[in-house]
Short mmCIF file of all heavy atoms in Angstrom, two decimals:
data_model
loop_
_atom_site.label_atom_id
_atom_site.label_comp_id
_atom_site.label_asym_id
_atom_site.label_seq_id
_atom_site.Cartn_x
_atom_site.Cartn_y
_atom_site.Cartn_z
N MET Y 1 -8.60 -0.20 12.21
CA MET Y 1 -7.69 0.84 11.80
C MET Y 1 -8.19 1.41 10.48
O MET Y 1 -8.63 0.67 9.61
CB MET Y 1 -6.30 0.23 11.66
CG MET Y 1 -5.31 1.13 10.99
SD MET Y 1 -3.68 0.42 10.84
CE MET Y 1 -3.91 -0.67 9.47
N GLU Y 2 -8.11 2.74 10.33
CA GLU Y 2 -8.52 3.39 9.08
C GLU Y 2 -7.33 4.04 8.40
O GLU Y 2 -6.45 4.59 9.06
CB GLU Y 2 -9.59 4.43 9.36
CG GLU Y 2 -10.90 3.82 9.81
CD GLU Y 2 -12.01 4.84 9.98
OE1 GLU Y 2 -11.72 6.05 10.10
OE2 GLU Y 2 -13.17 4.41 9.99
N PHE Y 3 -7.32 3.93 7.08
CA PHE Y 3 -6.28 4.54 6.25
C PHE Y 3 -6.90 4.85 4.90
O PHE Y 3 -8.06 4.51 4.64
CB PHE Y 3 -5.06 3.61 6.13
CG PHE Y 3 -5.39 2.23 5.66
CD1 PHE Y 3 -5.36 1.91 4.32
CD2 PHE Y 3 -5.75 1.24 6.56
CE1 PHE Y 3 -5.67 0.64 3.87
CE2 PHE Y 3 -6.06 -0.04 6.13
CZ PHE Y 3 -6.02 -0.34 4.79
N PHE Y 4 -6.16 5.49 4.03
CA PHE Y 4 -6.66 5.89 2.71
C PHE Y 4 -5.87 5.17 1.62
O PHE Y 4 -4.64 5.12 1.67
CB PHE Y 4 -6.52 7.40 2.52
CG PHE Y 4 -7.37 8.19 3.48
CD1 PHE Y 4 -6.90 8.50 4.74
CD2 PHE Y 4 -8.64 8.61 3.11
CE1 PHE Y 4 -7.67 9.22 5.64
CE2 PHE Y 4 -9.43 9.32 4.01
CZ PHE Y 4 -8.94 9.63 5.27
N VAL Y 5 -6.59 4.64 0.64
CA VAL Y 5 -5.96 4.01 -0.53
C VAL Y 5 -6.48 4.72 -1.76
O VAL Y 5 -7.68 4.74 -2.02
CB VAL Y 5 -6.28 2.50 -0.61
CG1 VAL Y 5 -5.67 1.90 -1.86
CG2 VAL Y 5 -5.79 1.77 0.63
N ASN Y 6 -5.58 5.36 -2.47
CA ASN Y 6 -5.94 6.14 -3.67
C ASN Y 6 -7.07 7.12 -3.35
O ASN Y 6 -8.01 7.27 -4.13
CB ASN Y 6 -6.28 5.23 -4.83
CG ASN Y 6 -5.10 4.37 -5.26
OD1 ASN Y 6 -3.95 4.64 -4.92
ND2 ASN Y 6 -5.37 3.33 -6.00
N GLY Y 7 -6.98 7.73 -2.17
CA GLY Y 7 -7.94 8.77 -1.79
C GLY Y 7 -9.23 8.27 -1.16
O GLY Y 7 -10.07 9.07 -0.77
N ILE Y 8 -9.39 6.96 -1.03
CA ILE Y 8 -10.62 6.39 -0.48
C ILE Y 8 -10.34 5.81 0.90
O ILE Y 8 -9.42 5.00 1.06
CB ILE Y 8 -11.18 5.30 -1.41
CG1 ILE Y 8 -11.51 5.92 -2.78
CG2 ILE Y 8 -12.41 4.64 -0.80
CD1 ILE Y 8 -11.83 4.91 -3.85
N LYS Y 9 -11.17 6.21 1.88
CA LYS Y 9 -10.99 5.72 3.24
C LYS Y 9 -11.36 4.24 3.31
O LYS Y 9 -12.38 3.83 2.78
CB LYS Y 9 -11.86 6.50 4.22
CG LYS Y 9 -11.64 6.11 5.68
CD LYS Y 9 -12.64 6.76 6.60
CE LYS Y 9 -12.13 8.09 7.05
NZ LYS Y 9 -13.01 8.68 8.09
N GLU Y 10 -10.48 3.46 3.97
CA GLU Y 10 -10.72 2.03 4.15
C GLU Y 10 -10.44 1.65 5.60
O GLU Y 10 -9.71 2.34 6.29
CB GLU Y 10 -9.81 1.22 3.22
CG GLU Y 10 -10.09 1.47 1.76
CD GLU Y 10 -9.47 0.43 0.86
OE1 GLU Y 10 -9.01 -0.62 1.35
OE2 GLU Y 10 -9.44 0.68 -0.35
N SER Y 11 -11.01 0.54 6.00
CA SER Y 11 -10.76 -0.02 7.32
C SER Y 11 -10.24 -1.43 7.16
O SER Y 11 -10.72 -2.18 6.31
CB SER Y 11 -12.05 -0.07 8.14
OG SER Y 11 -12.53 1.23 8.37
N ALA Y 12 -9.26 -1.80 7.98
CA ALA Y 12 -8.70 -3.15 7.94
C ALA Y 12 -7.92 -3.41 9.22
O ALA Y 12 -7.60 -2.48 9.96
CB ALA Y 12 -7.78 -3.30 6.73
N GLU Y 13 -7.63 -4.67 9.43
CA GLU Y 13 -6.76 -5.05 10.54
C GLU Y 13 -5.35 -4.56 10.22
O GLU Y 13 -4.97 -4.47 9.04
CB GLU Y 13 -6.75 -6.57 10.69
CG GLU Y 13 -8.08 -7.15 11.10
CD GLU Y 13 -8.51 -6.69 12.47
OE1 GLU Y 13 -7.67 -6.66 13.39
OE2 GLU Y 13 -9.69 -6.34 12.62
N PRO Y 14 -4.55 -4.26 11.23
CA PRO Y 14 -3.16 -3.87 10.97
C PRO Y 14 -2.44 -4.93 10.13
O PRO Y 14 -2.66 -6.13 10.34
CB PRO Y 14 -2.56 -3.77 12.37
CG PRO Y 14 -3.72 -3.48 13.26
CD PRO Y 14 -4.87 -4.23 12.66
N CYS Y 15 -1.65 -4.47 9.18
CA CYS Y 15 -0.93 -5.39 8.31
C CYS Y 15 0.25 -4.67 7.67
O CYS Y 15 0.37 -3.46 7.73
CB CYS Y 15 -1.85 -5.95 7.24
SG CYS Y 15 -2.47 -4.73 6.05
N SER Y 16 1.12 -5.46 7.04
CA SER Y 16 2.23 -4.89 6.29
C SER Y 16 1.76 -4.56 4.87
O SER Y 16 0.69 -4.99 4.44
CB SER Y 16 3.39 -5.89 6.23
OG SER Y 16 3.03 -6.98 5.40
N LEU Y 17 2.58 -3.82 4.15
CA LEU Y 17 2.24 -3.52 2.75
C LEU Y 17 2.15 -4.80 1.94
O LEU Y 17 1.26 -4.95 1.10
CB LEU Y 17 3.27 -2.57 2.15
CG LEU Y 17 3.35 -1.17 2.75
CD1 LEU Y 17 4.43 -0.36 2.06
CD2 LEU Y 17 2.01 -0.46 2.68
N ALA Y 18 3.06 -5.74 2.19
CA ALA Y 18 3.04 -7.02 1.46
C ALA Y 18 1.75 -7.77 1.71
O ALA Y 18 1.15 -8.34 0.78
CB ALA Y 18 4.25 -7.87 1.86
N GLN Y 19 1.27 -7.76 2.94
CA GLN Y 19 0.01 -8.44 3.26
C GLN Y 19 -1.16 -7.76 2.57
O GLN Y 19 -2.07 -8.44 2.08
CB GLN Y 19 -0.20 -8.47 4.78
CG GLN Y 19 0.76 -9.38 5.50
CD GLN Y 19 0.71 -9.20 7.00
OE1 GLN Y 19 0.61 -8.08 7.50
NE2 GLN Y 19 0.79 -10.31 7.73
N LEU Y 20 -1.15 -6.45 2.51
CA LEU Y 20 -2.21 -5.71 1.84
C LEU Y 20 -2.25 -6.06 0.35
O LEU Y 20 -3.32 -6.31 -0.21
CB LEU Y 20 -2.03 -4.21 2.02
CG LEU Y 20 -3.10 -3.33 1.38
CD1 LEU Y 20 -4.42 -3.46 2.12
CD2 LEU Y 20 -2.66 -1.90 1.33
N VAL Y 21 -1.09 -6.10 -0.28
CA VAL Y 21 -1.00 -6.44 -1.71
C VAL Y 21 -1.54 -7.86 -1.92
O VAL Y 21 -2.33 -8.10 -2.85
CB VAL Y 21 0.46 -6.32 -2.21
CG1 VAL Y 21 0.63 -6.95 -3.58
CG2 VAL Y 21 0.89 -4.86 -2.22
N GLU Y 22 -1.17 -8.78 -1.05
CA GLU Y 22 -1.64 -10.17 -1.17
C GLU Y 22 -3.14 -10.26 -0.97
O GLU Y 22 -3.84 -10.93 -1.75
CB GLU Y 22 -0.92 -11.04 -0.14
CG GLU Y 22 -1.26 -12.50 -0.26
CD GLU Y 22 -0.48 -13.35 0.73
OE1 GLU Y 22 0.69 -13.06 1.00
OE2 GLU Y 22 -1.09 -14.31 1.24
N ARG Y 23 -3.67 -9.58 0.03
CA ARG Y 23 -5.12 -9.60 0.30
C ARG Y 23 -5.93 -9.08 -0.88
O ARG Y 23 -7.03 -9.54 -1.14
CB ARG Y 23 -5.46 -8.74 1.52
CG ARG Y 23 -5.04 -9.35 2.82
CD ARG Y 23 -5.38 -8.42 3.95
NE ARG Y 23 -4.79 -8.88 5.19
CZ ARG Y 23 -4.76 -8.18 6.31
NH1 ARG Y 23 -5.31 -6.97 6.36
NH2 ARG Y 23 -4.20 -8.66 7.39
N ARG Y 24 -5.36 -8.11 -1.59
CA ARG Y 24 -6.07 -7.51 -2.73
C ARG Y 24 -5.84 -8.29 -4.03
O ARG Y 24 -6.43 -7.97 -5.05
CB ARG Y 24 -5.60 -6.07 -2.93
CG ARG Y 24 -6.10 -5.16 -1.82
CD ARG Y 24 -5.49 -3.78 -1.98
NE ARG Y 24 -6.16 -2.86 -1.10
CZ ARG Y 24 -7.07 -1.97 -1.49
NH1 ARG Y 24 -7.37 -1.84 -2.76
NH2 ARG Y 24 -7.65 -1.18 -0.62
N GLY Y 25 -4.95 -9.28 -4.00
CA GLY Y 25 -4.68 -10.07 -5.20
C GLY Y 25 -3.98 -9.29 -6.29
O GLY Y 25 -4.17 -9.55 -7.47
N LEU Y 26 -3.16 -8.32 -5.88
CA LEU Y 26 -2.46 -7.48 -6.85
C LEU Y 26 -1.15 -8.12 -7.28
O LEU Y 26 -0.53 -8.87 -6.52
CB LEU Y 26 -2.18 -6.10 -6.23
CG LEU Y 26 -3.41 -5.30 -5.81
CD1 LEU Y 26 -3.00 -4.05 -5.06
CD2 LEU Y 26 -4.26 -4.96 -7.02
N ASN Y 27 -0.72 -7.81 -8.48
CA ASN Y 27 0.54 -8.32 -9.02
C ASN Y 27 1.68 -7.42 -8.54
O ASN Y 27 1.80 -6.29 -9.02
CB ASN Y 27 0.48 -8.35 -10.54
CG ASN Y 27 1.78 -8.81 -11.17
OD1 ASN Y 27 2.73 -9.17 -10.49
ND2 ASN Y 27 1.82 -8.79 -12.49
N PRO Y 28 2.52 -7.89 -7.62
CA PRO Y 28 3.59 -7.04 -7.11
C PRO Y 28 4.63 -6.66 -8.17
O PRO Y 28 5.31 -5.65 -8.04
CB PRO Y 28 4.22 -7.86 -5.99
CG PRO Y 28 3.74 -9.23 -6.16
CD PRO Y 28 2.48 -9.19 -6.98
N GLY Y 29 4.71 -7.44 -9.25
CA GLY Y 29 5.69 -7.16 -10.29
C GLY Y 29 5.41 -5.89 -11.07
O GLY Y 29 6.31 -5.31 -11.67
N SER Y 30 4.16 -5.45 -11.08
CA SER Y 30 3.81 -4.25 -11.84
C SER Y 30 3.24 -3.15 -10.93
O SER Y 30 2.53 -2.28 -11.39
CB SER Y 30 2.79 -4.59 -12.93
OG SER Y 30 1.59 -5.04 -12.35
N LEU Y 31 3.58 -3.21 -9.65
CA LEU Y 31 2.99 -2.30 -8.67
C LEU Y 31 4.04 -1.41 -8.02
O LEU Y 31 5.14 -1.86 -7.70
CB LEU Y 31 2.29 -3.13 -7.58
CG LEU Y 31 1.47 -2.39 -6.55
CD1 LEU Y 31 0.25 -1.74 -7.19
CD2 LEU Y 31 1.02 -3.35 -5.46
N VAL Y 32 3.68 -0.15 -7.84
CA VAL Y 32 4.49 0.80 -7.07
C VAL Y 32 3.61 1.29 -5.93
O VAL Y 32 2.43 1.58 -6.12
CB VAL Y 32 4.93 2.00 -7.95
CG1 VAL Y 32 5.62 3.06 -7.11
CG2 VAL Y 32 5.85 1.53 -9.06
N ILE Y 33 4.19 1.35 -4.74
CA ILE Y 33 3.45 1.82 -3.57
C ILE Y 33 4.08 3.10 -3.05
O ILE Y 33 5.28 3.15 -2.77
CB ILE Y 33 3.41 0.78 -2.45
CG1 ILE Y 33 2.69 -0.49 -2.92
CG2 ILE Y 33 2.73 1.35 -1.21
CD1 ILE Y 33 2.63 -1.59 -1.89
N GLU Y 34 3.24 4.12 -2.92
CA GLU Y 34 3.64 5.38 -2.29
C GLU Y 34 2.91 5.44 -0.95
O GLU Y 34 1.68 5.32 -0.90
CB GLU Y 34 3.24 6.55 -3.17
CG GLU Y 34 3.63 7.89 -2.59
CD GLU Y 34 3.15 9.04 -3.45
OE1 GLU Y 34 3.76 9.29 -4.51
OE2 GLU Y 34 2.14 9.66 -3.07
N LEU Y 35 3.66 5.58 0.12
CA LEU Y 35 3.10 5.64 1.46
C LEU Y 35 3.44 6.99 2.06
O LEU Y 35 4.62 7.32 2.23
CB LEU Y 35 3.67 4.52 2.33
CG LEU Y 35 3.29 4.52 3.81
CD1 LEU Y 35 1.79 4.36 3.99
CD2 LEU Y 35 4.04 3.42 4.55
N ASN Y 36 2.41 7.78 2.33
CA ASN Y 36 2.60 9.13 2.89
C ASN Y 36 3.63 9.93 2.08
O ASN Y 36 4.55 10.53 2.61
CB ASN Y 36 3.00 9.04 4.36
CG ASN Y 36 1.94 8.36 5.19
OD1 ASN Y 36 0.74 8.54 4.95
ND2 ASN Y 36 2.35 7.56 6.14
N GLN Y 37 3.45 9.89 0.77
CA GLN Y 37 4.24 10.66 -0.20
C GLN Y 37 5.68 10.18 -0.34
O GLN Y 37 6.54 10.92 -0.80
CB GLN Y 37 4.19 12.15 0.10
CG GLN Y 37 2.78 12.70 0.05
CD GLN Y 37 2.71 14.18 0.30
OE1 GLN Y 37 3.59 14.76 0.92
NE2 GLN Y 37 1.66 14.80 -0.19
N GLN Y 38 5.96 8.93 0.04
CA GLN Y 38 7.28 8.34 -0.16
C GLN Y 38 7.12 7.00 -0.86
O GLN Y 38 6.32 6.17 -0.43
CB GLN Y 38 8.01 8.11 1.17
CG GLN Y 38 8.53 9.37 1.81
CD GLN Y 38 9.47 9.04 2.95
OE1 GLN Y 38 9.14 8.25 3.82
NE2 GLN Y 38 10.65 9.63 2.93
N ILE Y 39 7.92 6.79 -1.92
CA ILE Y 39 7.91 5.51 -2.61
C ILE Y 39 8.59 4.49 -1.70
O ILE Y 39 9.68 4.73 -1.18
CB ILE Y 39 8.67 5.60 -3.95
CG1 ILE Y 39 8.03 6.64 -4.88
CG2 ILE Y 39 8.76 4.22 -4.61
CD1 ILE Y 39 6.67 6.28 -5.39
N ILE Y 40 7.93 3.35 -1.52
CA ILE Y 40 8.49 2.27 -0.69
C ILE Y 40 8.98 1.17 -1.63
O ILE Y 40 8.19 0.63 -2.42
CB ILE Y 40 7.43 1.70 0.29
CG1 ILE Y 40 6.78 2.81 1.11
CG2 ILE Y 40 8.06 0.63 1.17
CD1 ILE Y 40 7.72 3.58 2.00
N LYS Y 41 10.25 0.84 -1.55
CA LYS Y 41 10.81 -0.21 -2.39
C LYS Y 41 10.19 -1.55 -2.01
O LYS Y 41 9.92 -1.82 -0.83
CB LYS Y 41 12.33 -0.28 -2.23
CG LYS Y 41 13.02 0.93 -2.79
CD LYS Y 41 14.51 0.78 -2.70
CE LYS Y 41 15.18 2.00 -3.32
NZ LYS Y 41 16.63 1.87 -3.33
N GLN Y 42 10.00 -2.39 -3.01
CA GLN Y 42 9.33 -3.67 -2.79
C GLN Y 42 10.04 -4.52 -1.74
O GLN Y 42 9.39 -5.24 -0.99
CB GLN Y 42 9.23 -4.43 -4.11
CG GLN Y 42 8.34 -5.64 -4.03
CD GLN Y 42 8.05 -6.25 -5.37
OE1 GLN Y 42 8.39 -5.70 -6.40
NE2 GLN Y 42 7.42 -7.39 -5.37
N GLN Y 43 11.34 -4.43 -1.64
CA GLN Y 43 12.08 -5.22 -0.65
C GLN Y 43 11.71 -4.84 0.78
O GLN Y 43 12.00 -5.60 1.71
CB GLN Y 43 13.58 -5.06 -0.87
CG GLN Y 43 14.08 -3.64 -0.63
CD GLN Y 43 15.45 -3.39 -1.25
OE1 GLN Y 43 15.77 -3.94 -2.30
NE2 GLN Y 43 16.25 -2.56 -0.60
N HIS Y 44 11.06 -3.68 0.98
CA HIS Y 44 10.67 -3.23 2.32
C HIS Y 44 9.18 -3.42 2.62
O HIS Y 44 8.73 -3.11 3.72
CB HIS Y 44 11.05 -1.76 2.51
CG HIS Y 44 12.51 -1.50 2.39
ND1 HIS Y 44 13.44 -1.97 3.28
CD2 HIS Y 44 13.21 -0.84 1.44
CE1 HIS Y 44 14.64 -1.60 2.90
NE2 HIS Y 44 14.53 -0.91 1.78
N TRP Y 45 8.42 -3.93 1.65
CA TRP Y 45 6.99 -4.08 1.85
C TRP Y 45 6.64 -4.98 3.03
O TRP Y 45 5.71 -4.71 3.77
CB TRP Y 45 6.32 -4.62 0.59
CG TRP Y 45 6.28 -3.67 -0.56
CD1 TRP Y 45 6.78 -2.40 -0.62
CD2 TRP Y 45 5.72 -3.92 -1.84
NE1 TRP Y 45 6.57 -1.85 -1.86
CE2 TRP Y 45 5.92 -2.76 -2.64
CE3 TRP Y 45 5.08 -5.01 -2.41
CZ2 TRP Y 45 5.49 -2.68 -3.95
CZ3 TRP Y 45 4.65 -4.94 -3.72
CH2 TRP Y 45 4.84 -3.77 -4.48
N SER Y 46 7.40 -6.06 3.21
CA SER Y 46 7.05 -7.01 4.27
C SER Y 46 7.35 -6.47 5.67
O SER Y 46 6.79 -6.96 6.65
CB SER Y 46 7.77 -8.34 4.06
OG SER Y 46 9.17 -8.15 4.12
N THR Y 47 8.20 -5.46 5.77
CA THR Y 47 8.54 -4.90 7.08
C THR Y 47 7.93 -3.52 7.33
O THR Y 47 8.12 -2.95 8.40
CB THR Y 47 10.07 -4.80 7.24
OG1 THR Y 47 10.61 -3.99 6.19
CG2 THR Y 47 10.71 -6.18 7.23
N THR Y 48 7.20 -3.00 6.34
CA THR Y 48 6.56 -1.69 6.49
C THR Y 48 5.11 -1.91 6.87
O THR Y 48 4.31 -2.44 6.09
CB THR Y 48 6.65 -0.89 5.17
OG1 THR Y 48 8.02 -0.74 4.81
CG2 THR Y 48 6.02 0.49 5.34
N MET Y 49 4.77 -1.52 8.09
CA MET Y 49 3.42 -1.72 8.61
C MET Y 49 2.56 -0.48 8.35
O MET Y 49 3.05 0.65 8.40
CB MET Y 49 3.47 -1.99 10.11
CG MET Y 49 4.25 -3.23 10.49
SD MET Y 49 3.57 -4.76 9.80
CE MET Y 49 2.05 -4.89 10.72
N LEU Y 50 1.28 -0.73 8.07
CA LEU Y 50 0.32 0.36 7.93
C LEU Y 50 -0.04 0.88 9.31
O LEU Y 50 -0.15 0.12 10.27
CB LEU Y 50 -0.94 -0.13 7.24
CG LEU Y 50 -0.83 -0.36 5.74
CD1 LEU Y 50 -2.11 -1.00 5.23
CD2 LEU Y 50 -0.57 0.95 5.03
N ASN Y 51 -0.25 2.18 9.40
CA ASN Y 51 -0.65 2.82 10.64
C ASN Y 51 -1.93 3.61 10.43
O ASN Y 51 -2.27 3.98 9.29
CB ASN Y 51 0.46 3.76 11.14
CG ASN Y 51 1.71 3.01 11.50
OD1 ASN Y 51 1.70 2.14 12.36
ND2 ASN Y 51 2.80 3.34 10.83
N GLU Y 52 -2.61 3.89 11.51
CA GLU Y 52 -3.84 4.69 11.48
C GLU Y 52 -3.60 5.99 10.71
O GLU Y 52 -2.62 6.70 10.96
CB GLU Y 52 -4.28 5.00 12.92
CG GLU Y 52 -5.55 5.75 13.03
CD GLU Y 52 -6.78 4.88 12.80
OE1 GLU Y 52 -6.74 3.67 13.06
OE2 GLU Y 52 -7.80 5.44 12.35
N GLY Y 53 -4.48 6.28 9.74
CA GLY Y 53 -4.43 7.54 9.01
C GLY Y 53 -3.43 7.58 7.86
O GLY Y 53 -3.31 8.60 7.18
N ASP Y 54 -2.69 6.47 7.61
CA ASP Y 54 -1.74 6.46 6.50
C ASP Y 54 -2.45 6.73 5.18
O ASP Y 54 -3.64 6.42 5.02
CB ASP Y 54 -1.03 5.11 6.40
CG ASP Y 54 0.16 4.99 7.34
OD1 ASP Y 54 0.59 6.02 7.91
OD2 ASP Y 54 0.67 3.88 7.50
N ARG Y 55 -1.69 7.28 4.24
CA ARG Y 55 -2.20 7.55 2.89
C ARG Y 55 -1.36 6.77 1.89
O ARG Y 55 -0.17 7.01 1.77
CB ARG Y 55 -2.16 9.04 2.59
CG ARG Y 55 -3.12 9.82 3.46
CD ARG Y 55 -3.24 11.28 3.03
NE ARG Y 55 -4.29 11.93 3.79
CZ ARG Y 55 -5.58 11.92 3.46
NH1 ARG Y 55 -5.98 11.29 2.38
NH2 ARG Y 55 -6.46 12.54 4.21
N LEU Y 56 -2.03 5.83 1.21
CA LEU Y 56 -1.37 4.98 0.22
C LEU Y 56 -1.83 5.35 -1.18
O LEU Y 56 -3.00 5.66 -1.40
CB LEU Y 56 -1.77 3.52 0.43
CG LEU Y 56 -1.19 2.79 1.61
CD1 LEU Y 56 -1.95 1.50 1.82
CD2 LEU Y 56 0.26 2.49 1.36
N GLU Y 57 -0.90 5.27 -2.09
CA GLU Y 57 -1.23 5.32 -3.51
C GLU Y 57 -0.69 4.02 -4.10
O GLU Y 57 0.50 3.71 -3.97
CB GLU Y 57 -0.58 6.53 -4.20
CG GLU Y 57 -1.13 7.86 -3.76
CD GLU Y 57 -2.57 8.09 -4.19
OE1 GLU Y 57 -2.97 7.62 -5.27
OE2 GLU Y 57 -3.29 8.77 -3.44
N LEU Y 58 -1.56 3.23 -4.70
CA LEU Y 58 -1.18 1.98 -5.35
C LEU Y 58 -1.22 2.22 -6.85
O LEU Y 58 -2.29 2.50 -7.41
CB LEU Y 58 -2.12 0.85 -4.96
CG LEU Y 58 -2.26 0.57 -3.47
CD1 LEU Y 58 -3.27 -0.55 -3.22
CD2 LEU Y 58 -0.92 0.22 -2.86
N LEU Y 59 -0.08 2.16 -7.48
CA LEU Y 59 0.03 2.47 -8.90
C LEU Y 59 0.45 1.23 -9.67
O LEU Y 59 1.49 0.65 -9.38
CB LEU Y 59 1.05 3.58 -9.12
CG LEU Y 59 0.83 4.84 -8.27
CD1 LEU Y 59 2.04 5.74 -8.34
CD2 LEU Y 59 -0.41 5.56 -8.74
N SER Y 60 -0.35 0.81 -10.64
CA SER Y 60 -0.04 -0.34 -11.49
C SER Y 60 0.35 0.14 -12.87
O SER Y 60 -0.28 1.04 -13.42
CB SER Y 60 -1.25 -1.28 -11.60
OG SER Y 60 -1.54 -1.86 -10.37
N PHE Y 61 1.37 -0.49 -13.40
CA PHE Y 61 1.81 -0.16 -14.75
C PHE Y 61 1.22 -1.17 -15.71
O PHE Y 61 1.31 -2.37 -15.50
CB PHE Y 61 3.33 -0.16 -14.84
CG PHE Y 61 3.93 0.97 -14.06
CD1 PHE Y 61 4.39 0.78 -12.77
CD2 PHE Y 61 4.01 2.22 -14.60
CE1 PHE Y 61 4.93 1.82 -12.04
CE2 PHE Y 61 4.54 3.29 -13.88
CZ PHE Y 61 5.00 3.09 -12.60
N VAL Y 62 0.60 -0.65 -16.76
CA VAL Y 62 -0.05 -1.49 -17.76
C VAL Y 62 0.52 -1.14 -19.12
O VAL Y 62 0.58 0.03 -19.50
CB VAL Y 62 -1.59 -1.25 -17.75
CG1 VAL Y 62 -2.27 -2.09 -18.80
CG2 VAL Y 62 -2.16 -1.53 -16.37
N GLY Y 63 0.95 -2.15 -19.84
CA GLY Y 63 1.47 -1.94 -21.18
C GLY Y 63 0.35 -1.94 -22.19
O GLY Y 63 -0.75 -2.44 -21.94
N GLY Y 64 0.60 -1.38 -23.30
CA GLY Y 64 -0.41 -1.38 -24.36
C GLY Y 64 0.02 -0.49 -25.50
O GLY Y 64 1.06 0.14 -25.45
N GLY Y 65 -0.81 -0.42 -26.48
CA GLY Y 65 -0.41 0.41 -27.59
C GLY Y 65 -1.53 0.78 -28.47
O GLY Y 65 -2.66 0.73 -28.34
#
């Protein structure tokens, strides 16, 4: 299956958003996921499946000064 993450085409086995976050080793506490131009609440990540051609934006918040 092919989809886009932050504008880059990727291939992977079908999975949920939660599985994708886990596979990438990302910190879910500082992550926002936009799927096809809609923000997906973290409580729905485990039930939201990726589909062919989906467009994801993974946004991490980083503190600093």
